[in-house]
Amino acid sequence: MKKILIIYSEYTGHGHKSANEALVNAFNKIYGDNITCKSVNGFKLGSPHFRVTEKLYNSCVKYLPDIWGKFFLLSNTNPATLNKIISIDIERKFLKLIEKYQPDLILSVHPLFNGSILNILEKNKLNIKMYSLLTDLVSVTNIWLDNRADRIISPSNEATEFIIENNIDKDKIATFGIPVRDHFKSPFDNLEDIRKNTNINGKLRVLILNNTEKSKRIFYMIKKLHEKYDCDVTVVCGRNKNNYKKLKSRLKHYQREVNVIGYTKELFKLFYDNDILITRCGSLSIVEAINCIIPIISMGALPGQEEGTPMYLEKNGMGYSTSSTDDIFNKIDLLIANNREGLVKMREAQFNYYGRNVTDKIVKYIADDILGNEVKN
C-alpha cells in the first residue's frame, strides 16, 4: 500500500484544514485499498514558540489586519529566509515522522511547509516526492512556490499564470481548483434545474458568514437588509463564541427575527437554503459556496492572500466586489432587478465554473503518479 503524508494547519483559517479533510476522504473513497493518508499539522512539528504563532492567526486577522498584510508581503519578498527559519525549527520532529511513517509522497496544503520541507529533504538526501497544493485562489505568495517540488497543483488559471511568471517549470503545474468536502456539491444536474430552482418570487433569503467581523457592523447590515427588502436573515458566527454572544446581545430587543448560529457542521445546507451569501472572501469558503451555487457578495478581504478574490469573483460572474458596507445593498439591488435576473445569471456562471467539483480529479492526478500510471497535466 502506498502512503501519502499531508501537511496542513489546524488554526490558520478554514481552508487548509478543510482541503486536507476533503483530500483524505476522497483518497479513502476511491483508493482505500491502495493508498493510505496521514495528516499532520505542520506547526506541531516545531518549537512551542512556533506552535503558538498558529493560534495567533485569528486574533491577528481580526484586530491587526494590516500587520498580517505586512507578514504576507514578507513571505512574498523573502521566502528563502522564512523557509530557512522554519526548516531549522521543524527538522528534528519532521525527520522522526518520516522515519516512522516512510511516505511515498508528501503533499503540502500550507505555504509555510513547501520550501521549508524541501530544504530538509535536500539536506538529508531523502528521495521522496513532494507536491504543493495551493489553497489561495488568486493572490498567491511566492512562499507557495519552489521549483524543487515535483508538482504544483494550482487553484485557478490566474494563479497558474503567476506561477509560470515566477519561474516555475510549466510542466510541473496542474490547474484544477481547490478541493472541497463532499457535502459542498451542487444539488442540480444542469442549467435548466438551476433556473427552475432559483427563488424568483418568494421571500429573499440572505446568509451572512460573520467570520471575524465586528458585531456592530453585522448588526448594521441586518437592520439595512430588513429596511430595504422583504427578507429573512441568517448569520453564522462559526467558532467565535465572543462574536456570537455580542451579536445576540445587540439583537436582544430587535423587533425582527434573525437566525443567529454559532459553529455548524451543516453550512452546506445553509448554502442550499439561501439566495445570497454575504461574506469575507476567504478562498475555501468562497469555493464551497460556488460548489453549492449561491451568489456571493464580498464584505471585504484580508490584505494579502484574499485581496484579489473579490475582483476574481466579479470577473467570472460568480459574485460582486464592494467598496463599502453600504455598497453591499447596491449589489443586492443588481441581483434582484428584473425579476431577479442577475441572481439566475450568477448561479449559471457558478454552475459552469471550471474549478467546481475538482476534488476527485485532484486525488486521481496524485494517485496516478504514486501508483505508476501516466500523469497528465
Side-chain angles (χ1 to χ4, degrees), residues 213-346:
E213 297 300 318
K214 294 180 180 179
S215 61
K216 182 178 180 180
R217 187 185 187 202
I218 300 299
F219 184 57
Y220 175 80
M221 289 182 197
I222 292 168
K223 289 195 298 180
K224 288 287 287 186
L225 284 167
H226 283 145
E227 288 171 9
K228 287 181 64 69
Y229 313 106
D230 179 24
C231 67
D232 290 326
V233 179
T234 298
V235 182
V236 178
C237 297
R239 297 183 186 274
N240 194 324
K241 295 179 181 179
N242 190 41
N243 270 4
Y244 175 83
K245 289 177 182 178
K246 285 184 177 180
L247 184 58
K248 291 288 282 186
S249 178
R250 287 184 182 274
L251 290 167
K252 189 173 182 179
H253 301 294
Y254 188 62
Q255 299 301 310
R256 299 285 295 272
E257 183 178 351
V258 181
N259 184 22
V260 181
I261 301 171
Y263 174 72
T264 176
K265 291 183 178 181
E266 297 189 333
L267 183 61
F268 62 96
K269 289 185 179 180
L270 294 172
F271 285 166
Y272 297 152
D273 293 341
N274 285 275
D275 304 309
I276 296 171
L277 171 65
I278 302 173
T279 183
R280 198 194 78 195
C281 282
S283 294
L284 202 284
S285 58
I286 289 299
V287 174
E288 287 176 343
I290 291 169
N291 272 260
C292 291
I293 318 295
I294 177 170
I296 302 160
I297 297 178
S298 166
M299 62 174 171
L302 187 65
Q305 77 242 43
E306 294 176 4
E307 62 188 6
T309 306
M311 290 308 300
Y312 176 81
L313 289 174
E314 195 156 310
K315 174 185 173 183
N316 289 280
M318 299 184 295
Y320 279 122
S321 175
T322 58
S323 58
S324 65
T325 301
D326 285 333
D327 193 34
I328 290 170
F329 311 108
N330 297 331
K331 296 307 191 292
I332 292 176
D333 290 342
L334 293 176
L335 287 175
I336 65 176
N338 300 321
N339 296 318
R340 302 183 183 174
E341 180 182 16
L343 204 67
V344 176
K345 287 184 177 179
M346 193 169 285

Side-chain angles (χ1 to χ4, degrees), residues 14-248:
H14 175 55
H16 311 295
K17 180 180 178 181
S18 294
N20 166 68
E21 183 180 333
L23 292 167
V24 170
N25 289 341
F27 274 115
N28 288 339
K29 176 182 68 177
I30 302 171
Y31 298 100
D33 295 332
N34 297 304
I35 296 174
T36 185
C37 297
K38 181 179 181 66
S39 301
V40 174
N41 182 345
F43 285 90
K44 290 188 176 181
L45 297 173
S47 62
H49 175 76
F50 186 55
R51 295 198 295 271
V52 166
T53 62
E54 180 191 21
K55 295 188 177 181
L56 290 175
Y57 173 85
N58 285 330
S59 296
C60 187
V61 299
K62 180 177 181 179
Y63 298 109
L64 302 166
D66 291 338
I67 290 179
W68 175 255
K70 290 177 181 177
F71 177 79
F72 182 91
L73 181 62
L74 173 66
S75 72
N76 198 39
T77 56
N78 200 0
T81 299
L82 193 54
N83 283 329
K84 183 178 179 180
I85 293 169
I86 294 170
S87 62
I88 291 171
D89 201 317
I90 69 173
E91 182 173 11
R92 184 178 62 84
K93 288 184 179 178
F94 177 75
L95 290 174
K96 284 187 176 181
L97 173 64
I98 293 299
E99 183 180 4
K100 183 177 180 180
Y101 187 60
Q102 297 187 347
D104 298 283
L105 182 143
I106 299 168
L107 172 64
S108 172
V109 297
H110 193 285
L112 297 186
F113 306 109
N114 295 304
S116 59
I117 286 178
L118 285 162
N119 284 347
I120 300 171
L121 295 178
E122 185 176 66
K123 176 185 173 182
N124 292 276
K125 297 180 172 57
L126 295 172
N127 187 24
I128 304 172
K129 289 183 177 181
M130 175 79 185
Y131 276 34
S132 300
L133 187 150
L134 280 62
T135 55
D136 293 328
L137 190 58
V138 184
S139 303
V140 177
T141 170
N142 279 312
I143 203 165
W144 274 114
L145 310 180
D146 195 307
N147 216 24
R148 293 173 296 174
D150 292 276
R151 300 280 172 172
I152 294 177
I153 299 175
S154 172
S156 67
N157 292 331
E158 287 81 352
T160 296
E161 290 177 11
F162 175 85
I163 295 168
I164 293 171
E165 288 170 2
N166 282 271
N167 303 314
I168 299 298
D169 294 346
K170 188 175 181 180
D171 59 1
K172 289 186 174 184
I173 307 165
T175 307
F176 286 104
I178 296 178
V180 300
R181 293 163 290 177
D182 280 345
H183 294 315
F184 295 93
K185 289 189 176 180
S186 169
F188 311 114
D189 295 324
N190 52 61
L191 290 175
E192 187 60 31
D193 284 346
I194 297 285
R195 299 181 189 108
K196 287 180 180 178
N197 289 280
T198 299
N199 179 17
I200 299 299
N201 300 309
K203 197 173 188 179
L204 197 64
R205 300 161 301 193
V206 180
L207 175 65
I208 301 174
L209 288 191
N210 191 2
N211 296 312
T212 56
E213 297 300 318
K214 294 180 180 179
S215 61
K216 182 178 180 180
R217 187 185 187 202
I218 300 299
F219 184 57
Y220 175 80
M221 289 182 197
I222 292 168
K223 289 195 298 180
K224 288 287 287 186
L225 284 167
H226 283 145
E227 288 171 9
K228 287 181 64 69
Y229 313 106
D230 179 24
C231 67
D232 290 326
V233 179
T234 298
V235 182
V236 178
C237 297
R239 297 183 186 274
N240 194 324
K241 295 179 181 179
N242 190 41
N243 270 4
Y244 175 83
K245 289 177 182 178
K246 285 184 177 180
L247 184 58
K248 291 288 282 186

